[in-house]
Amino acid sequence: MAVDVSLILSGLLIFCRIGALLMAITSLGNMIPVSIRIGVAACLSICLTPILRELVVPMDSWEALALQALGEIARGLCFGGAASLLILSAGWAGQLIDTQIGISSAQVLNPSLGEAITPFGTLYRSVGVFVLFLSNGHSLLLKGIIRSFEIDPLKLTEVSRIGSLLEQCLGIALTLAMPVVMVTVIVDVTSAVINKAVPQVQPFFLSLPLKLVTGIGVASGSCMLLAPVMDKAGIVLLGG
């Protein structure tokens, strides 16, 4: 039986891109070990090679093939970095909420992420990952992987494209954090008015626990916004 060398080389090139993509999704931290990511990349490459072999044609010489493999790794890193922004934006929203309600200094080390993160930052990032899989976001990511072979993900490195991605992710973070921001601003304005009218009451000392309680309540309720916001954003960032 003859061995189709071209098919094997196409599969290796696809593996280079998908493997780099999964390794570049830093928002998952160390929750998914490297061995599992490589195994998933290998399985996806085997399944997608018959479909994508016409889009990934290996070069004739070994030198050109090596450069082509490096190009596939670079493309995977670009696409994986863009996909990571979706989960990171939920974490940014949680950190903004922690700042508004005054618990941003309560940072703890998250071993799975290898960094110190605030309480609501941890909560929103974890819920974001859960919502991503619950809303079938993993299939959207798979469609994005296939589409990445039809377009050039290196275009993501263009200044205008990077600005657009950051703008969308900051919009997601502000949308998720806006209910808490509005409540805390109302509490601060009310405290300022009371302090102006009755300075003996010293309302700012009373506003601190009030901001904490109302902020936690509103932030817990606003977690319901994660599903529709991230679902719409996922279509734009991963599928669009």
Side-chain angles (χ1 to χ4, degrees):
M1 183 177 63
V3 178
D4 192 345
V5 179
S6 177
L7 179 64
I8 296 176
L9 293 178
S10 297
L12 291 176
L13 292 173
I14 293 173
F15 172 76
C16 288
R17 180 181 294 198
I18 297 178
L21 185 152
L22 295 180
M23 295 300 294
I25 302 181
T26 56
S27 56
L28 297 178
N30 297 324
M31 292 185 291
I32 302 180
V34 175
S35 57
I36 294 181
R37 299 191 191 200
I38 294 177
V40 171
C43 293
L44 289 176
S45 301
I46 294 173
C47 296
L48 295 178
T49 298
I51 303 174
L52 301 174
R53 63 174 304 181
E54 295 182 357
L55 299 176
V56 184
V57 180
M59 298 295 182
D60 296 332
S61 63
W62 290 106
E63 294 81 3
L65 185 62
L67 292 176
Q68 187 179 9
L70 292 176
E72 293 298 331
I73 293 175
R75 290 174 171 85
L77 292 176
C78 291
F79 188 84
S84 297
L85 292 176
L86 184 61
I87 302 299
L88 291 177
S89 58
W92 296 342
Q95 292 176 353
L96 179 58
I97 290 173
D98 288 319
T99 302
Q100 286 296 118
I101 64 178
I103 58 174
S104 59
S105 60
Q107 297 185 3
V108 293
L109 178 64
N110 190 327
S112 64
L113 299 175
E115 61 179 286
I117 191 170
T118 57
F120 272 100
T122 303
L123 175 63
Y124 270 59
R125 185 177 291 189
S126 301
V127 174
V129 174
F130 177 74
V131 168
L132 183 65
F133 285 97
L134 190 63
S135 61
N136 210 24
H138 54 286
S139 63
L140 192 62
L141 178 62
L142 183 59
K143 292 179 181 178
I145 292 175
I146 297 176
R147 282 205 59 191
S148 72
F149 288 92
E150 301 174 358
I151 61 176
D152 190 359
L154 287 179
K155 293 181 179 179
L156 296 175
T157 59
E158 296 179 358
V159 176
S160 59
R161 183 59 175 167
I162 293 176
S164 176
L165 289 174
L166 291 177
E167 179 183 358
Q168 293 172 18
C169 292
L170 288 176
I172 296 170
L174 291 176
T175 301
L176 295 175
M178 191 54 63
V180 178
V181 173
M182 293 178 62
V183 169
T184 54
V185 168
I186 292 173
V187 172
D188 288 335
V189 171
T190 304
S191 300
V193 172
I194 295 176
N195 183 65
K196 189 69 174 179
V198 189
Q200 295 82 1
V201 178
Q202 295 182 347
F204 285 109
F205 292 101
L206 300 176
S207 66
L208 293 177
L210 182 60
K211 285 174 60 177
L212 181 61
V213 173
T214 56
I216 291 176
V218 174
S220 301
S222 64
C223 282
M224 294 184 295
L225 293 173
L226 277 171
V229 170
M230 294 192 65
D231 189 33
K232 181 179 178 180
I235 295 175
V236 175
L237 293 179
L238 300 179

